[in-house]
Amino acid sequence: TGSAADGLAGESSAIVVEIESPLASPHPLQGYLRRANNAGRAPAVVLLHSCHGDWKRLDERWGKRIASWNYVVLTVDSLGPRGLKTCEGRAPNDSAEDAYRALNFLVRDPLVDPDRIAVIGFANGGRVALMSVEHGYLEQASPSKFRAAVAFYPSCLGLKGEMTAPALILIGERDDVTPAEECR
């Protein structure tokens, strides 16, 4: 039997990618892309960081692990292109679209199965992940869709809860920053 470390033995290395042309947006996104180690089209995950903006650390912790399960992983930097190090208490208004910008990048990749892309986010990234599968403007405006979302300790304030794909919210009952009651 193998250990958890054995699962990472064949890990893919992350490469920095431009998610879109610098001419496409005033804040063109970049991210770390990890390829799956299997042949053919693979499922994919978009990873979204918290307001601390440590997307490189997120890739190291989560991107490596998820890629070892034969997923393509794209860890998005939502703050750097906007000249920010943190959200400073409030996320940029247009960061809610970042998940779909990353999704559109992945669906064009011939090594990605466009019908099996999920989004996972932490704190503010978790909120964006939920917004990405909530029935509304963002979801309706995109021809491509996320098939699942996972949100770690998101703020759910203002979300209607009308999800278009399975969504898992992981939050502490006694969390005093992002109360679980908002997400019920």
Side-chain angles (χ1 to χ4, degrees), residues 100 103 114-115 117 138-147 164:
Y100 274 99
L103 173 67
D115 294 325
I117 302 175
L138 277 178
E139 185 271 335
Q140 290 177 347
S142 177
S144 301
K145 308 293 181 201
F146 285 105
R147 300 305 182 203
T164 60

Side-chain angles (χ1 to χ4, degrees), residues 10-16 32-35 37 59 64 67 73:
E11 76 182 40
S12 65
S13 58
I15 59 169
V16 176
Y32 278 131
L33 181 67
R34 289 184 183 272
R35 299 268 180 217
N37 291 325
D59 173 72
K64 274 185 184 179
V73 181

Side-chain angles (χ1 to χ4, degrees), residues 18 28-29 41 45 50 57-58 60 83 86 89 99 108 110 119 122 128 134 140-141 156-157 160 165 172 183:
E18 296 292 323
L29 292 180
R41 295 184 122 184
V45 171
S50 70
R57 185 173 172 209
L58 179 62
E60 282 293 314
T86 68
R108 292 188 307 265
V119 58
F122 297 80
V128 172
E134 183 174 50
Q140 290 177 347
C156 294
L157 197 60
K160 297 177 286 265
C183 296

Side-chain angles (χ1 to χ4, degrees), residues 45-182:
V45 171
V46 171
L47 280 178
L48 304 171
H49 59 73
S50 70
C51 277
H52 296 296
D54 200 345
W55 62 292
K56 294 174 186 176
R57 185 173 172 209
L58 179 62
D59 173 72
E60 282 293 314
R61 286 187 163 185
W62 286 89
K64 274 185 184 179
R65 171 78 51 196
I66 295 169
S68 77
W69 300 333
N70 288 320
Y71 285 80
V72 172
V73 181
L74 179 57
T75 306
V76 177
D77 176 12
S78 288
L79 298 178
R82 292 175 171 90
L84 302 172
K85 292 188 190 307
T86 68
C87 294
E88 299 169 10
R90 193 168 147 243
N93 290 336
D94 59 348
S95 68
E97 297 173 3
D98 291 356
Y100 274 99
R101 292 161 75 186
L103 173 67
N104 290 332
F105 174 85
L106 288 173
V107 298
R108 292 188 307 265
D109 188 321
L111 298 178
V112 171
D113 180 346
D115 294 325
R116 297 191 303 157
I117 302 175
V119 58
I120 300 174
F122 297 80
N124 183 64
R127 178 175 176 73
V128 172
L130 292 176
M131 291 170 63
S132 299
V133 296
E134 183 174 50
H135 183 72
Y137 170 75
L138 277 178
E139 185 271 335
Q140 290 177 347
S142 177
S144 301
K145 308 293 181 201
F146 285 105
R147 300 305 182 203
V150 178
F152 287 84
Y153 45 91
S155 168
C156 294
L157 197 60
L159 296 175
K160 297 177 286 265
E162 299 169 11
M163 302 301 168
T164 60
L168 174 65
I169 299 172
L170 300 164
I171 194 166
E173 182 64 34
R174 296 184 184 185
D175 189 327
D176 59 354
V177 176
T178 55
E181 191 57 41
E182 290 178 0

